[in-house]
Amino acid sequence: VGSVQMQANNERDDQPMLDSRDNDVADSYVVTGEDEMRGLAIVVSRFLLLLVYICVGFGGGFLLWKLFQVHSEPHVFGWAIAGLCTAVAVPLSLHGIHMHIAHYYCSLQRYYIRILWMVPIYSLESFLALRFKEQKVYLETMREAYEASVLYSFFPMLHSFLQSQKVIIIIIII
């Protein structure tokens, strides 16, 4: 019990006290308008993601129920399910991209963002290719071009990551 209390006291001592009597500490931590806007953007992004999922859930369920009621053809069910999967994947991926941009602290994140863009591109391309079979070749060509650029940027990402981990790997080996 004594060690837990001592640890709690040490944790309290490490945290800055924002008191008007201690101006040095109060000046060291200043909340800027940019931090407040970033926090607001994150809250709005999460709210919109939740709202989209609620709409997709109810709207998708209603759509599938109506398609079942009117005895639609199987390919129409396939389009509806592909559209619902796309409607789930794209906002989630865009939210992840937004979070990486909002919390940008490392040059490796630009590579992560390029990779994360593959989810909306692949899902939209797959849905559109399923829906519009005549334009499938053109859609696949655009998707393959983006895939090639992501693979091209994947190797510099690996190189950058492994260069930063080189010291750790050497220590582990020795």
Side-chain angles (χ1 to χ4, degrees), residues 94-130:
L94 292 177
H95 179 72
I97 291 168
H98 177 251
M99 290 296 109
H100 272 285
I101 292 171
H103 300 288
Y104 193 87
Y105 65 91
C106 171
S107 64
L108 287 173
Q109 281 181 293
R110 69 175 173 221
Y111 300 113
Y112 302 156
I113 292 169
R114 287 180 193 157
I115 293 170
L116 283 174
W117 268 109
M118 287 184 74
V119 175
I121 289 172
Y122 264 70
S123 62
L124 286 171
E125 184 274 332
S126 297
F127 173 71
L128 292 174
L130 183 64

Side-chain angles (χ1 to χ4, degrees), residues 123-163:
S123 62
L124 286 171
E125 184 274 332
S126 297
F127 173 71
L128 292 174
L130 183 64
R131 180 65 181 94
F132 306 107
K133 291 181 183 176
E134 297 81 27
Q135 286 79 21
K136 180 180 177 182
V137 174
Y138 305 113
L139 293 167
E140 286 179 352
T141 303
M142 290 186 289
R143 185 200 65 199
E144 294 292 332
Y146 184 74
E147 181 181 358
S149 72
V150 168
L151 284 174
Y152 180 75
S153 68
F154 181 72
F155 292 110
M157 181 194 76
L158 280 179
H159 185 265
S160 298
F161 180 75
L162 293 175
Q163 285 295 333

Side-chain angles (χ1 to χ4, degrees), residues 2-117:
S3 65
V4 172
Q5 289 176 345
M6 189 171 13
Q7 183 181 5
N9 288 337
N10 287 340
E11 288 175 3
R12 265 188 269 132
D13 292 339
D14 292 339
Q15 295 176 354
M17 294 173 48
L18 298 178
D19 191 3
S20 61
R21 293 173 287 174
D22 190 6
N23 289 334
D24 294 334
V25 174
D27 290 339
S28 66
Y29 182 75
V30 177
V31 177
T32 63
E34 183 179 316
D35 292 335
E36 291 176 2
M37 288 302 294
R38 180 181 296 166
L40 179 64
I42 291 169
V43 168
V44 168
S45 177
R46 288 181 181 161
F47 173 74
L48 289 175
L49 182 68
L50 178 66
L51 186 65
V52 164
Y53 283 147
I54 290 171
C55 291
V56 166
F58 285 120
F62 179 74
L63 174 70
L64 290 176
W65 177 65
K66 280 302 216 183
L67 288 175
F68 184 72
Q69 267 186 340
V70 296
H71 304 290
S72 294
E73 297 178 20
H75 69 276
V76 176
F77 275 109
W79 292 344
I81 292 172
L84 289 174
C85 291
T86 301
V88 169
V90 170
L92 185 61
S93 181
L94 292 177
H95 179 72
I97 291 168
H98 177 251
M99 290 296 109
H100 272 285
I101 292 171
H103 300 288
Y104 193 87
Y105 65 91
C106 171
S107 64
L108 287 173
Q109 281 181 293
R110 69 175 173 221
Y111 300 113
Y112 302 156
I113 292 169
R114 287 180 193 157
I115 293 170
L116 283 174
W117 268 109

